[in-house]
Amino acid sequence: MNNNQWVLARRPPEGFPLSEDFTWLNGQMPEIGPNQMLTRTVYLSLDPYQWGRRRSGTESPGDVCHGRTVAQVVQSNLNGYKEGDFVFNTNGWQEYGLTGEGVSHFGYMFPRQLDPGKAPVSTAIGVMGMLGLTAYSGLVIQCQPRAGETIIVSAASGGVGQVACQLAKIAGSRVVGIAGSSQKLDYLRNEVGVDECVSHLSESFTEELRELCPDGCDVYFENVGGKVFEAVLPLLNEGSRITVCGMISQYGNTDGLDPRQTWDALGESVFSKKNVQVHDLFVGNFVEQYQDEFLSKMAGYMNSGLITYKEDRWEGLESAPEAFAAMLTGGNFGKTIVTVSEDLSRVQ
Ligand code: NDP
């Protein structure tokens, strides 16, 4: 039996992903060993950090592309897991993968058993997974938004952004979302429930953003960097807080500069003059201490309808490179997920 997979074809030279960066292989079905399980990938998560791994050389040509997954157990020699169970794991861009002893799970995200009765299993790679925890850690833990404060969120309709906006609304803050297309702005207004939103594609973006923030900005959730950050910078209030979650507009940079260096250089004088607290965010640092608290709070928010969540689904593993490139350049609408095989949890 084949195990279709995408492997990295080369170390990507510059810019954003191209089809030449990936090779489709009819790989071998992996052989299960002691204390391991074989799982069938159901959903594959596509995330901006995967591009960083490929560009930096963390992933080598010939490697199966890394990716978090939701999968169903086919065969198990691993205590606590049996055939048919659904798990969050790290199969990567392939149809089948091994989990357990001797298999790299890429650090901080261990396999996790999923209960399809509690939440759709796909949410484990989204709102009930790393993305949700990222929004929670950056906004709630680091920036501690208060009622009446103005919170600006960039890439506001995306996987992380839409959750950050809603957590800020739950805190009673006034939320201004920044996104690209008019459909994304409609979604932010009508479903996410932001107070105001603006397109960074508008020629008068900077002026429009300033008008939407007459009392300045108390918290900035940074997902984008570049000109979006430059527009937010003069709006920062005395004692405001920033979480530096990501700078996606800079991920195709070819000048070799760390995006954070130029960002810091621009902000330096403003940060010290206005006593701005800048928090670096890496979700891995929050898993051990906050994952349980986050999962329980988020389950409550989802069940009571306080959090809505949009996925951008692509069908079939073949679509992964195209979906990945689209996500990095604004072509996605919500959390980007590839459906690799049938989700049998929905028919249970
Ligand atoms: P999204 O679903 O938000 O998709 C990316 C979005 O970024 C696009 O849809 C697009 O939205 C926006 N974007 C892309 N290029 C530009 C640009 N040049 N200018 C402005 N906006 C742009 O992705 P995620 O939710 O997965 O990730 C969001 C951010 O969170 C990323 O920066 C990512 O690196 C970061 N992240 C950080 C983590 C951490 O531990 N710190 C963990 C997980 C994610 P639009 O069309 O609206 O412009």
Side-chain angles (χ1 to χ4, degrees), residues 234-281:
L235 304 176
L236 293 170
N237 287 333
E238 176 76 31
S240 53
R241 290 89 74 202
I242 301 178
T243 180
V244 187
C245 175
M247 292 185 200
I248 197 164
S249 72
Q250 311 295 302
Y251 292 172
N253 282 0
T254 55
D255 55 14
L257 280 179
D258 176 351
R260 179 63 197 259
Q261 278 177 312
T262 44
W263 190 94
D264 277 342
L266 275 172
E268 209 169 338
S269 58
V270 176
F271 296 157
S272 54
K273 208 159 48 189
K274 292 189 177 172
N275 192 23
V276 176
Q277 286 170 35
V278 179
H279 299 278
D280 276 321
L281 178 58

Side-chain angles (χ1 to χ4, degrees), residues 58-112:
T58 306
E59 210 163 283
S60 302
D63 287 353
V64 173
C65 294
H66 159 91
R68 306 283 181 209
T69 47
V70 167
Q72 190 170 20
V73 179
V74 175
Q75 195 187 345
S76 177
N77 296 332
L78 192 60
N79 240 345
Y81 295 90
K82 60 179 189 321
E83 186 185 334
D85 284 352
F86 287 88
V87 293
F88 163 80
N89 64 357
T90 312
N91 276 353
W93 294 24
Q94 59 180 348
E95 290 177 330
Y96 292 89
L98 294 176
T99 302
E101 197 173 289
V103 182
S104 163
H105 301 301
F106 183 42
Y108 56 95
M109 290 269 171
F110 299 106
R112 185 158 64 86

Side-chain angles (χ1 to χ4, degrees), residues 126-127 131-132 135 155-164 309-310 332-336:
V127 64
L131 281 195
S157 75
V160 173
Q162 58 183 321
V163 182
Y309 171 68
K310 186 171 176 52
N332 65 317
F333 189 175
K335 162 66 194 154
T336 309

Side-chain angles (χ1 to χ4, degrees), residues 160-175:
V160 173
Q162 58 183 321
V163 182
C165 287
Q166 293 172 89
L167 290 172
K169 285 306 299 175
I170 290 169
S173 307
R174 178 175 177 273
V175 180

